[in-house]
Amino acid sequence: HLPFYETLYPICVTILRSNDMMEEFGMKKWRPDDPCPCRSGEIHKNCCYNNNVIAFPTHLIYNEIIETQEKILDFAYSTFNDELFQFNKDELHTLSDDDEINELIVFFTTVWSIFHVPFEDSNLTIFQEFIKNKSKTFKRSKTLENILKWTDFQPVLGQVKQTNNTHVELQCVFTDKSYYIPIDPGNVPEVKNLLLFFSIEILGKQDKFLSYLIFPEEQYEAIMNGVYDSVNSIQLEEDVNYTALDYIQHDFPDFLIKLFVDILETAETPEEFKWRNPNHETVSNELTDAMEGKYHEDLIGIANALWYIYCEKYSPIVRSSSIFAATLEYIISTLVHFPTKYTQKDVAEKYGIKTNALVNKYHEMYSVLEDEISAITDLIEKDLLQ
């Protein structure tokens, strides 16, 4: 006549200690060399093994939390698609010519707005609306309890300090705060890379919302200089106490535009070129000297970039540097509007070559550089280059 729970308890323990039954009920008896269920990145015997606690089915809750991230996006697009479209249209006033980059900008802006921008008269964000409408659909209360902690959802730009097989350790470039987040399979960063991600907590551990973006070490200086240029402008014009952290957290859409369009696309045109052939460098020097004083320095840089790309693609034999330099200057002259039309004859005479030689070389070079010239033309038409 033992009380019911005293009769049931030994039976439950026997069942839970059976590996087969534990797997069937979504639980597991973790072996010493298994990855620890707390997701620390350590093996079980070096972490929670000595606690002698039967593992709670954290992997089921973890999977549900991961699935919820996709559900939040689905809810946002299905319920607030028009509002999101208008928000992105208003905020992302200048986009890249690269469709893949534009998709990244729009996606990360959308995710940020879901957690930060009220879209309804109720003054709730999309995330808050999701909780309000979907909280009863969660299978496990611990999942909802975890997701409710995402109210402090913030973007982080961090530099990688070290990695292992499962996690990456990084440090925020603005606050020096450390983060330790899971690595995405097939998207493994290297030490000194920059990572952009949204920081969240999952089951008491640092994690990221969906995924992250990786930027190579050589872009670090350009990115940081660009950010602080924007911050300094805002400090001078609006708020002397405004910080880089304020910029990335509160003006995130503008930060993305600055990052992808103003910083990284500009950085694609190097200031110094590593010429494989000294004759190619001779053309560059002659071109620069001839264009200085008549063209903006950005256009001179573009002319040299076109020449560098042409050399990398075609590796031309240079018998007369003047023919190549004249052709490149003529190409640039066709992309900008001068008060007086700059003809092929004018350019040929400037460089002391025959007009026919310039015409022939122009058609040859244009066929190789057509895509690059088209992209430059688009930028000029959008007033991104003066």
Side-chain angles (χ1 to χ4, degrees), residues 22-28 30 37 39 56-68 139-140 142-143 202-203:
M22 289 174 79
E23 294 288 353
E24 182 178 343
F25 282 94
M27 306 184 74
K28 180 178 180 179
W30 299 88
R39 299 177 52 255
F56 192 79
T58 53
H59 65 289
L60 295 180
I61 299 175
Y62 180 79
N63 290 339
E64 189 174 10
I65 292 171
I66 296 300
E67 291 172 3
T68 301
K139 297 178 182 177
R140 298 169 178 84
K142 283 191 173 292
T143 303
I202 298 183
L203 300 177

Side-chain angles (χ1 to χ4, degrees), residues 78-263:
S78 62
T79 311
F80 295 91
N81 186 64
D82 292 342
E83 290 86 349
L84 286 170
F85 176 82
Q86 189 60 47
F87 176 80
N88 287 329
K89 182 180 179 181
D90 293 341
E91 293 293 323
L92 304 178
H93 43 81
T94 305
L95 286 175
S96 166
D97 290 320
D98 189 314
D99 290 339
E100 290 185 8
I101 289 178
N102 287 341
E103 288 177 6
L104 287 174
I105 293 173
V106 171
F107 175 77
F108 273 77
T109 298
T110 297
V111 172
W112 178 83
S113 67
I114 287 171
F115 288 84
H116 287 273
V117 180
F119 283 96
E120 285 284 292
D121 294 337
S122 62
N123 204 34
L124 298 178
T125 64
I126 293 178
F127 173 67
Q128 291 168 332
E129 290 283 356
F130 173 82
I131 296 298
K132 177 182 174 182
N133 288 273
K134 302 293 183 179
S135 59
K136 294 182 180 179
T137 65
F138 289 100
K139 297 178 182 177
R140 298 169 178 84
S141 60
K142 283 191 173 292
T143 303
L144 178 59
E145 179 183 323
N146 191 116
I147 292 169
L148 288 174
K149 296 178 181 178
W150 295 354
T151 53
D152 189 26
F153 182 95
Q154 294 294 353
V156 175
L157 183 65
Q159 187 171 36
V160 176
K161 297 303 178 183
Q162 61 181 1
T163 65
N164 57 36
N165 292 332
T166 60
H167 286 69
V168 55
E169 181 183 349
L170 51 101
Q171 189 175 60
C172 177
V173 297
F174 304 125
T175 66
D176 292 335
K177 179 179 177 180
S178 294
Y179 294 84
Y180 190 68
I181 63 174
I183 288 176
D184 290 340
N187 194 27
V188 180
E190 298 177 357
V191 173
K192 294 188 177 180
N193 284 168
L194 284 176
L195 259 63
L196 177 64
F197 66 100
F198 294 110
S199 174
I200 59 175
E201 177 185 312
I202 298 183
L203 300 177
K205 303 291 182 180
Q206 292 174 335
D207 216 307
K208 79 282 184 192
F209 190 86
L210 292 177
S211 188
Y212 46 69
L213 292 176
I214 301 176
F215 303 96
E217 176 189 358
E218 53 266 28
Q219 292 177 344
Y220 178 90
E221 184 175 356
I223 291 174
M224 297 304 292
N225 288 341
V227 168
Y228 282 107
D229 283 346
S230 296
V231 171
N232 290 338
S233 297
I234 296 173
Q235 287 175 338
L236 289 172
E237 297 173 8
E238 300 178 23
D239 183 1
V240 69
N241 296 316
Y242 190 84
T243 67
L245 191 62
D246 292 330
Y247 183 54
I248 188 174
Q249 290 187 349
H250 305 307
D251 293 305
F252 187 70
D254 190 73
F255 164 76
L256 286 179
I257 293 295
K258 184 72 177 177
L259 176 64
F260 283 103
V261 180
D262 295 346
I263 298 174

Side-chain angles (χ1 to χ4, degrees), residues 331-342:
I331 289 173
I332 296 299
S333 74
T334 64
L335 305 179
V336 295
H337 300 290
F338 290 100
T340 303
K341 188 176 180 180
Y342 209 32

